[in-house]
Amino acid sequence: MHFDIQPIGVIHSPYKQKFAIPRQPRLVPEARAKLVFCDAFNREEFVRGIEEFSHLWLLFRFHETADKGYSALVRPPRLGGNERKGVFATRATFRPNGIGMSAVKLEGVEYKNGQLALLLSGIDLLDGTPIVDIKPYLPYSDALSDAAAGFADTRPETAMTVAFSEQAEAFISAQHAYPELKAFITNVLKQDPRPAYKKKQASTQSYGMNLYDFNIRWQVDGEHNYVLEVAHIRAD
């Protein structure tokens, strides 16, 4: 059988590249996004009553990797990239149908200038991600207190501490449209977005990432394995 699935909307997200996106939703609660509905679904009837739910399931397509094929075995980052697991035993992006799912918080519904959108937080999706379905999150059914989670049975934690240079502090203070920017950057970096093999290097490492329209440069002290400094931020 063959199925044709059309997107119902597109995510406008602060994550402009795959690097630094949290590996699960709600790990960075300050990550806010907007789900903008496509023309065929741009009517308030489609979301009538959705405000009654605090959280939603988003089903989406890994649009940047879906055309790159898939593998039966993958290397989960939680295992340091050293152990192989079956793709259906992971949440890896390289999947047969390229479908992902995220449980995110609903902050509100917006209907402005004829455009319907959902305001979301705790997002873990790349900017431009196509959404193929939305379902309410049901705590009595979806939150299973006795569930086992294998190698991913705990929330990922790191020993990362984050400091900001004077330039970075000043830049953030001037961004009045983003009152949570410092907390957002801090929590993204606390997830330690580096590749697994980099975490074993003792040298000082320099990285860059794009959040919103900002280019952020930061360094890691590999010897002590913590973020040394957010060195520089500029608007792209």
Side-chain angles (χ1 to χ4, degrees), residues 13-29:
S13 160
Y15 299 114
K16 306 304 180 182
Q17 56 190 157
K18 291 182 291 181
F19 181 67
I21 296 179
R23 295 190 176 100
Q24 300 297 339
R26 304 186 316 284
L27 293 178
V28 180

Side-chain angles (χ1 to χ4, degrees), residues 64-210:
E64 285 210 346
T65 58
D67 296 332
K68 297 179 181 179
Y70 62 90
S71 175
L73 294 173
V74 297
R75 300 176 184 268
R78 284 291 292 270
L79 298 176
N82 298 319
E83 187 176 342
R84 293 177 181 270
K85 296 288 185 180
V87 67
F88 296 137
T90 75
R91 297 192 178 189
T93 59
F94 294 96
R95 317 187 69 81
N97 289 306
I99 299 295
M101 57 189 291
S102 285
V104 301
K105 186 176 182 182
L106 175 64
E107 298 288 351
V109 179
E110 179 182 270
Y111 192 74
K112 185 183 296 185
N113 298 324
Q115 179 61 63
L116 178 65
L118 299 182
L119 307 180
L120 309 167
S121 67
I123 206 80
D124 64 336
L125 302 182
L126 183 67
D127 187 52
T129 294
I131 303 301
V132 299
D133 202 2
I134 303 167
K135 299 180 186 294
Y137 178 92
L138 304 179
Y140 77 88
S141 174
D142 298 342
L144 306 176
S145 59
D146 60 344
F151 64 87
D153 62 343
T154 58
R155 179 187 178 95
E157 300 288 350
T158 72
M160 289 290 192
T161 58
V162 182
F164 291 79
S165 70
E166 290 185 8
Q167 186 278 335
E169 290 276 12
F171 185 94
I172 290 171
S173 296
Q175 306 308 311
H176 304 298
Y178 301 95
E180 296 181 313
L181 182 58
K182 184 174 182 179
F184 179 37
I185 295 171
T186 298
N187 284 326
V188 167
L189 291 178
K190 280 187 174 182
Q191 301 302 312
D192 195 356
R194 294 176 296 163
Y197 73 94
K198 288 285 189 180
K199 299 175 186 180
K200 300 177 182 178
Q201 297 183 4
S203 60
T204 297
Q205 305 158 33
S206 297
Y207 298 91
M209 64 182 180
N210 292 317

